């Protein structure tokens, strides 16, 4: 078997080109200055630890931050077989931790004292206070935390393994969930990976149970749900009963994350509920090139992960793999019931639950979802298109971004639109790229008539207004048509338009003080794609999420009157 499943070795640290703040790999394991350590000492206490002792182990939650004053601390990650592999050794003035330090989730590495060592131990709650108050220390730590997580993701070899076919719908779902939540893992493709046969024996996995997720080389779970994964891997947040938040944000797309960043940064007790993972519909965009401040573009997931770090730095909590099931709005505080039965109480609610792409009205489409029919075009789906034809249905920016992205991976990309062209619905920079690309063909006034295949999608049949019928061999079809709002959970609490988007800026005079994102129910606000007549752009969603916090302050102030 390759060394990825062998025991005890040091991972090489990959050094990507330094293009921006987040790519400066030289800052992955920095040293604090003496003055910084002296200031940090106000937040913790000195502790002497014997060699061989663990400061924390894989899977522990809410771990403390440790700054090494004298001695050495080894950082170890799982080798996938129940043992550990050395990542690095921290020495004087270096510090432990990565992104789980902010979220309080289960840590991915162990910290083991190599020899008698003196550390500055800072409780996690005090660490959060420190990164808000000490901006220079925070900058160094945040950069290091982000780069360490990137290293764990790039070099994922052992901790969490997925055994299964990359063409399996469940396998694709599991990978997507872990990627969207920034969780390091590795796929052993049972169709073509030479390690697969030995891995199945090593972990005593029956092929009928695939896909299987193996955690720390010890726990194997067959076809876990997203909620199962969140619980097993320590991604899930504990929902506190009898606690009343200032703000509950439902949805972690651009609008929801912006609302979380701004509300938490202004001292409001904030919690975010997200059914899948940060990013929302925008998180499936391979590259957004017209977002302010990113001249080379940014992936939707990259933007979302940075926003998540910001929100958590300011103290916002993020609950993933839990969907809002119902809103109780007759009493105050409001109560959001989750699909696992837990209830979150809050003085205000921000509806940022967004929208999803509409399912194509074609018989039998359900059998091909995840088996060739996709609603996202990320690197996962892009790999499946290598060397084959792909079809994108839709004329908006998401469809254009998908087509451009896939054209570098698929043999050829076909775009189907019902209209006469793209200029009315798509940004000009995307239209120009599509029309100039020899790898993309636009088919106007055409629509999908049938999907065909044995188990997996094999060909797509479409018809056009001029009477033509085309049968195109294709293993992957990307649907980005229309928007269906995720508002069923609102249970009649607020006014919806005829398409079930939330109506905002009601005409009642007594509601005007709560701003343009107020709904028909005081204290409940709506932003982003779930809002009626919203622009459906990432930048506008971020703007709405940031601006709504002013209205929340007005509402909370009114409760004191």
């Amino acid at each position: 078997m390759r060394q990825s499943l062998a025991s005890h070795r040091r991972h090489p640290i990959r050094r990507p080109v330094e293009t921006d703040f987040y790519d400066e790999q030289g800052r992955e394991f920095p040293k604090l200055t003496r003055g910084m350590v002296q200031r940090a000492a106000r937040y913790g206490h000195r502790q002497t630890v014997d060699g061989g002792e663990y400061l924390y182990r894989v899977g522990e939650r809410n771990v403390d931050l440790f700054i090494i004053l004298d001695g050495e601390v080894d950082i170890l990650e799982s080798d996938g077989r129940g043992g550990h592999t050395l990542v690095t050794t921290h020495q004087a003035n270096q510090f432990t931790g990565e992104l789980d330090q902010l979220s309080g989730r289960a840590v991915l590495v162990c910290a083991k004292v190599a020899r008698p060592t003196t550390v500055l131990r800072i409780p996690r709650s005090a660490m959060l206070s420190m990164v808000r108050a000490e901006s220079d220390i925070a900058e160094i730590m945040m950069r290091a935390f982000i780069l360490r997580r990137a290293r764990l993701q790039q070099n994922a070899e052992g901790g969490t393994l997925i055994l299964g076919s990359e063409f399996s719908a469940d396998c694709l779902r599991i990978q997507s969930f872990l990627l969207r939540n920034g969780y390091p893992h590795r796929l052993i493709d049972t169709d073509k990976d030479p390690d697969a046969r030995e891995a199945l024996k090593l972990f005593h996995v029956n092929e009928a149970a695939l896909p299987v997720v193996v955690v720390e080389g010890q726990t194997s779970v067959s076809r876990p749900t997203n909620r199962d994964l969140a619980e097993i891997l320590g991604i899930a947040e504990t929902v506190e009963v009898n606690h009343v938040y200032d703000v509950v944000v439902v949805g972690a797309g651009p609008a929801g994350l912006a609302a979380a960043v701004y509300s938490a940064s202004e001292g409001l007790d904030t919690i975010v509920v997200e059914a899948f993972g940060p990013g929302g519909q925008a998180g499936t965009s391979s590259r957004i090139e017209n977002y302010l401040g990113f001249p080379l573009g940014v992936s939707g997931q990259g933007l979302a992960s940075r926003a998540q770090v910001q929100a958590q730095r300011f103290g916002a909590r993020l609950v993933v793999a839990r969907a809002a099931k119902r809103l109780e709005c007759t009493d105050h505080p409001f109560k959001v019931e989750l699909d696992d039965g837990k209830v979150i109480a809050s003085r205000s609610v921000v509806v940022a639950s967004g929208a999803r792409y509409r399912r194509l009205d074609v018989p039998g489409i359900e059998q091909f979802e995840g088996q060739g029919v996709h609603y996202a075009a990320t690197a996962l789906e892009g790999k499946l298109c290598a060397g084959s034809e792909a079809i994108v249905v839709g004329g908006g920016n998401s469809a254009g971004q998908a087509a451009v992205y896939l054209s570098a991976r698929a043999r050829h990309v076909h775009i189907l639109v019902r209209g006469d062209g793209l200029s009315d619905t798509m940004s000009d920079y995307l239209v120009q790229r599509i029309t100039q690309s020899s790898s993309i063909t636009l088919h106007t006034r055409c629509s999908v008539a049938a999907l065909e295949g044995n188990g997996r999608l094999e060909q797509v049949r479409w018809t056009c207004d001029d009477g033509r019928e085309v049968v195109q061999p294709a293993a992957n079809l990307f649907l980005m048509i229309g928007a269906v709002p995720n508002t069923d959970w609102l249970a009649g609490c607020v006014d919806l338009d005829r398409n079930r988007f939330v109506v905002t800026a009601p005409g009642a005079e007594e509601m005007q003080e709560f701003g343009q994102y107020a709904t028909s129910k005081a204290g409940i606000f709506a932003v982003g794609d779930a809002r009626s007549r919203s622009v459906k752009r990432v930048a506008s969603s971020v703007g709405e999420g940031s601006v709504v916090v002013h209205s929340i302050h007005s509402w909370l102030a009114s409760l004191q009157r």
Side-chain angles (χ1 to χ4, degrees), residues 327-523:
L327 176 60
E328 175 55 61
C329 58
T330 55
D331 296 321
H332 201 263
F334 303 116
K335 294 180 176 62
V336 177
E337 180 184 344
L338 306 183
D339 57 3
D340 64 352
K342 299 292 194 311
V343 174
I344 297 175
S346 179
R347 297 178 181 88
S348 66
V349 177
V350 176
V351 179
S353 44
R356 61 191 182 277
Y357 291 119
R358 186 180 294 116
R359 175 182 279 177
L360 197 66
D361 187 17
V362 173
I365 189 172
E366 298 88 351
Q367 65 177 303
F368 295 116
E369 290 179 326
Q371 299 284 110
V373 171
H374 311 287
Y375 297 89
T378 68
L380 284 178
E381 293 83 12
K383 283 196 308 180
L384 303 179
C385 296
S388 64
E389 309 259 332
I391 300 170
V392 177
V393 181
N397 274 13
S398 295
Q401 290 160 354
V404 170
Y405 175 74
L406 295 170
S407 67
R409 291 151 181 81
R411 184 164 62 239
H412 197 82
V413 177
H414 301 270
I415 302 178
L416 304 184
V417 295
R418 289 185 174 181
D420 293 321
L422 300 173
S423 59
D424 291 341
T425 56
M426 189 179 293
S427 294
D428 183 66
Y429 80 94
L430 288 170
V431 175
Q432 295 302 319
R433 288 191 181 184
I434 289 168
T435 55
Q436 294 171 15
S437 174
S438 61
S439 300
I440 304 174
T441 300
L442 174 64
H443 304 269
T444 60
R445 305 188 70 80
C446 297
S447 58
V448 175
L451 307 178
E452 299 167 356
N454 183 18
R456 281 194 52 80
L457 182 66
E458 296 174 3
Q459 63 184 27
V460 176
R461 187 184 305 271
W462 73 74
T463 58
C464 303
D465 288 356
D466 60 7
R468 287 182 301 122
E469 181 176 88
V470 178
V471 177
Q472 175 63 56
N476 294 281
L477 174 71
F478 296 83
L479 300 179
M480 296 172 179
I481 51 172
V484 179
N486 296 313
T487 55
D488 292 345
W489 61 279
L490 292 170
C493 284
V494 299
D495 290 344
L496 306 177
D497 67 16
R498 64 180 181 178
N499 294 315
R500 302 197 61 76
F501 290 91
V502 182
V503 175
T504 54
E509 185 176 346
E510 63 272 17
M511 296 290 291
Q512 296 307 304
E513 66 173 304
F514 303 129
Q516 61 182 319
Y517 304 117
T519 68
S520 57
K521 181 70 174 181

Side-chain angles (χ1 to χ4, degrees), residues 135-264:
S135 60
D136 55 342
I137 298 175
E139 180 178 336
I140 292 172
M141 285 190 169
M142 292 302 101
R143 181 190 287 119
F145 289 170
I146 291 167
L147 294 174
R148 291 173 188 179
R149 173 56 65 93
R151 193 205 66 81
L152 288 172
Q153 290 179 283
Q154 291 169 358
N155 296 288
E157 296 287 351
T160 298
L161 300 176
I162 305 170
L163 305 179
S165 168
E166 69 175 355
F167 293 106
S168 158
D170 273 332
C171 199
L172 189 63
R173 171 186 56 80
I174 290 167
Q175 290 184 86
S176 181
F177 177 78
L178 295 179
L179 281 172
R180 285 282 288 274
N181 286 283
Y183 199 91
H185 63 281
R186 183 164 74 91
L187 171 68
I188 298 181
D189 189 339
T190 51
D191 288 338
K192 56 188 178 184
D193 197 314
D195 289 347
R197 187 61 53 187
E198 187 174 343
L200 292 174
K201 293 179 182 178
L202 178 65
F203 299 118
H204 309 290
V205 173
N206 188 313
E207 289 191 41
L210 296 176
V212 166
V213 176
V214 181
V215 183
E216 302 301 321
Q218 299 173 345
T219 303
S220 62
V221 186
S222 173
R223 301 189 189 94
T225 65
N226 293 342
R227 191 183 302 160
D228 290 337
L229 282 172
E231 294 289 346
I232 293 165
L233 300 175
I235 297 173
E237 282 265 7
T238 301
V239 176
E240 300 175 45
V241 296
N242 302 322
H243 181 84
V244 179
Y245 291 88
D246 292 323
V247 186
V248 57
V249 181
V250 179
L257 288 171
V261 167
Y262 280 86
S263 60

